[in-house]
């Protein structure tokens, strides 16, 4: 029964994602409202690329939704703005997440305070068109694939498929999670603990040069084709049918499959080869955070708790937002998972002893630097910068962004 304080409570929820995510999210909200009369939840969703500018505008205008989806890359920025409510006082009380897997709570902390609730564990991955590659007689990429062999494999796909404007792998030069893996395989991080840049000019120059070389060989899409990718599943090289493989997050397998008629598969991001360090790591796929200015903090916490602990809610959500860090929730949904969901669960289980530790929390403005990587890689692709010029420019601009943030 709802408490008197909950009567007529209205909440706004805001998240990014596909229509499939929206369907599941609205389903859980409907279930919560069915069980808690007097609580009304309205939802709004946008693509990843449109979400952050809108959230920034809402935050500046003090019009942020009560419950917002948050990313590991941005949580420092929004906690630092005072936009998010610390959740520590609810932990173990109305927020029943103390038995999350180790690290799943700490990954949502900023300066020791809890500002988010982990919606699912995930990691970066490579998603590929399994059925197309099998029909073409090309070996499937696996965890043994290295950056050195990736280009040869991509050219093999080009020859075997024989379709104009179709490549084996996307141009990943602007994909920050893939660059993050590359840097960590070299023993460094994107960002140091103090929020400064953790990689070297040589690292970023080599990264741009690697993709420029594949571009020149015809192993990845031309710059004008890759520019069609708006950093959303709907516009990925996979969805637009320009490439057989892309780099993404493991929880997004569901979204990509919904957009692709070919059966998809997933594996790790290419390794750095013999002697390289683990590049991937487990992280929250996304979090629910609560606005510092919400007029109904207790009810908002109840909604968030419902999303991550209720078995019926979990069965609606599946693993679309990643694998639950709560063992009893994973056990509750396991019998109901379809083949695609089980593949994601098995992937997380497969890589758990192959990943490195969680990196330092990205500093404020990390999202701006993520956008910068896309732009500078495009400048290389369109011949406006050489890889060495791009390396210098990227390092200088990203350092400047951090200094003024």
């Amino acid at each position: 029964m709802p408490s008197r304080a909950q009567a007529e409570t209205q909440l706004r929820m805001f998240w990014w994602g596909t229509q499939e995510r929206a369907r599941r999210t609205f389903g859980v909200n409907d279930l919560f409202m069915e069980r808690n009369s007097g609580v009304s939840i309205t939802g709004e969703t946008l693509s990843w690329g449109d979400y952050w500018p809108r959230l920034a505008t809402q935050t500046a205008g003090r019009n942020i939704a009560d419950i917002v989806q948050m990313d590991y890359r941005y949580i420092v920025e929004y906690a630092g703005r005072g936009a998010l409510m610390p959740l520590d006082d609810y932990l173990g009380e109305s927020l029943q997440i103390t038995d999350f897997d180790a690290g799943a709570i700490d990954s949502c902390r900023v300066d020791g305070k809890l500002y988010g609730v982990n919606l699912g564990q995930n990691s970066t991955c490579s998603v590929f068109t399994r059925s197309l590659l099998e029909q073409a007689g090309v070996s499937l990429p696996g965890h043994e694939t290295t950056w050195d062999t990736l280009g040869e494999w991509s050219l093999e796909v080009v020859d075997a498929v024989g379709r104009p404007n179709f490549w084996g792998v996307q141009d990943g030069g602007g994909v920050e999670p893939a660059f993050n893996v590359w840097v960590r395989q070299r023993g460094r991080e994107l960002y140091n603990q103090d929020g400064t840049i953790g990689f070297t000019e040589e690292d970023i120059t080599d990264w741009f040069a690697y993709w420029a070389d594949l571009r020149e060989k015809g192993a990845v899409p031309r710059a004008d084709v890759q520019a069609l990718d708006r950093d959303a599943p709907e516009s990925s090289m996979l969805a637009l049918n320009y490439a057989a493989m892309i780099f993404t997050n493991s929880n997004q397998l569901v979204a990509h499959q919904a957009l692709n008629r070919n059966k998809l598969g997933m594996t790790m991001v290419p390794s750095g080869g013999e002697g390289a360090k683990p590049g991937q790591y487990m992280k929250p796929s996304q979090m629910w955070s609560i606005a510092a200015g919400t007029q109904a903090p207790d009810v908002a916490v109840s909604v968030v708790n419902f999303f991550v602990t209720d078995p019926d809610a979990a069965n609606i959500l599946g693993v679309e937002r990643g694998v639950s860090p709560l063992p009893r929730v994973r056990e509750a949904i396991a019998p109901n998972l379809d083949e695609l969901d089980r593949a994601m669960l098995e992937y997380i289980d497969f890589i758990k002893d192959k990943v490195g530790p969680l990196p330092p929390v990205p500093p404020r403005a990390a999202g701006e630097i993520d956008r910068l990587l896309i732009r500078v890689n495009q400048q290389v692709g369109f011949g406006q910068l050489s890889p060495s010029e791009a390396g210098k420019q990227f390092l200088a601009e990203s350092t400047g962004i951090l200094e003024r943030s």
Side-chain angles (χ1 to χ4, degrees):
M1 293 288 290
S3 70
R4 184 178 298 277
Q6 287 179 319
E8 306 302 328
T9 299
Q10 295 185 352
L11 295 175
R12 291 167 52 220
M13 180 181 282
F14 188 30
W15 68 92
W16 73 84
T18 63
Q19 287 302 310
E20 177 60 26
R21 176 172 298 169
R23 183 186 68 78
R24 297 180 190 225
T25 305
F26 282 121
V28 174
N29 284 343
D30 288 344
L31 183 61
F32 184 89
M33 290 187 286
E34 180 183 318
R35 295 183 183 178
N36 298 270
S37 60
V39 178
S40 173
I41 308 170
T42 58
E44 181 183 2
T45 181
L46 289 174
S47 68
W48 166 269
D50 294 331
Y51 179 83
W52 296 104
R54 177 74 64 85
L55 185 62
T57 301
Q58 290 181 347
T59 302
R62 299 181 182 278
N63 187 37
I64 186 173
D66 300 277
I67 302 171
V68 293
Q69 194 168 281
M70 187 51 57
D71 181 73
Y72 188 65
R73 185 187 294 137
Y74 285 88
I75 192 168
V76 168
E77 180 173 344
Y78 281 88
R81 290 185 184 188
L84 307 181
M85 182 179 79
L87 303 172
D88 303 84
D89 290 345
Y90 295 93
L91 201 55
E93 302 294 333
S94 54
L95 192 55
Q96 297 290 326
I97 61 171
T98 51
D99 50 352
F100 268 18
D101 288 345
I105 295 179
D106 288 343
S107 60
C108 301
R109 293 188 184 277
V110 177
D111 295 333
K113 292 185 178 180
L114 186 67
Y115 285 103
V117 174
N118 191 324
L119 283 166
Q121 293 288 76
N122 80 347
S123 185
T124 47
C125 71
S126 303
V127 167
F128 56 86
T129 55
R130 174 186 293 274
S131 58
L132 177 68
L133 294 173
E134 288 175 342
Q135 290 167 14
V138 180
S139 61
L140 302 180
H143 70 282
E144 73 283 354
T145 300
T146 68
W147 293 110
D148 286 342
T149 61
L150 179 65
E152 297 171 8
W153 176 84
S154 186
L155 284 171
E156 186 182 351
V157 174
V158 170
D159 291 339
V161 174
R163 184 191 307 164
N165 292 329
F166 189 82
W167 293 268
V169 65
Q170 72 167 115
D171 178 345
V175 182
E176 187 231 54
F179 176 56
N180 192 8
V181 171
W182 166 284
V183 166
R184 285 166 60 87
Q185 288 168 346
R186 293 179 164 210
R188 286 179 279 277
E189 299 282 1
L190 277 187
Y191 303 103
N192 299 315
Q193 289 286 357
D194 63 1
T196 57
I197 294 294
F199 57 87
T200 66
E201 182 178 318
E202 182 181 10
D203 293 326
I204 185 64
T205 298
D206 287 351
W207 177 251
F208 288 134
Y210 173 81
W211 291 104
D213 180 58
L214 294 191
R215 213 176 290 120
E216 186 176 347
K217 291 176 178 174
V220 298
R222 301 186 309 272
D224 62 315
V225 174
Q226 183 61 47
L228 299 173
D229 188 343
R230 310 303 296 173
D231 202 18
E234 294 85 351
S235 63
S236 75
M237 291 292 97
L238 204 61
L240 297 180
N241 212 16
Y242 283 117
M245 191 173 95
I246 60 169
F247 305 114
T248 185
N249 290 312
S250 58
N251 67 292
Q252 292 184 299
L253 178 63
V254 172
H256 289 296
Q257 184 61 81
L259 295 164
N260 202 302
R261 64 182 180 182
N262 290 306
K263 184 178 180 181
L264 303 182
M266 67 192 306
T267 188
M268 298 182 74
V269 173
S271 78
E274 187 176 353
K277 298 180 181 301
Q280 291 186 219
Y281 56 92
M282 297 283 196
K283 73 178 185 67
S285 61
Q286 56 252 180
M287 318 161 197
W288 279 139
S289 290
I290 296 176
T294 180
Q295 298 301 303
D298 294 348
V299 182
V301 170
S302 296
V303 173
V304 170
N305 186 69
F306 185 74
F307 263 79
V308 297
T309 65
D310 187 89
D312 294 328
N315 273 307
I316 294 173
L317 295 169
V319 293
E320 194 275 333
R321 279 187 168 94
V323 176
S324 171
L326 202 56
R328 59 184 169 83
V329 168
R330 291 201 298 271
E331 293 171 5
I333 67 173
N336 303 318
L337 295 179
D338 61 21
E339 182 182 4
L340 201 66
D341 289 341
R342 283 199 301 276
M344 202 181 314
L345 204 63
E346 290 166 359
Y347 176 73
I348 292 297
D349 186 60
F350 175 75
I351 69 171
K352 64 184 179 185
D353 60 352
K354 301 175 180 63
V355 297
L358 190 71
V361 179
R364 293 181 64 166
E368 187 176 351
I369 295 173
D370 169 56
R371 302 293 93 183
L372 174 66
L373 184 66
I374 297 172
R375 174 168 61 80
V376 176
N377 185 63
Q378 286 179 343
Q379 289 179 283
V380 179
F382 284 113
Q384 297 166 351
L385 293 173
S386 70
S388 60
E389 291 170 336
K392 291 181 187 300
Q393 178 174 315
F394 183 81
L395 192 60
E397 286 196 43
S398 56
T399 301
I401 289 170
L402 292 177
E403 288 176 349
R404 73 168 186 270
S405 67

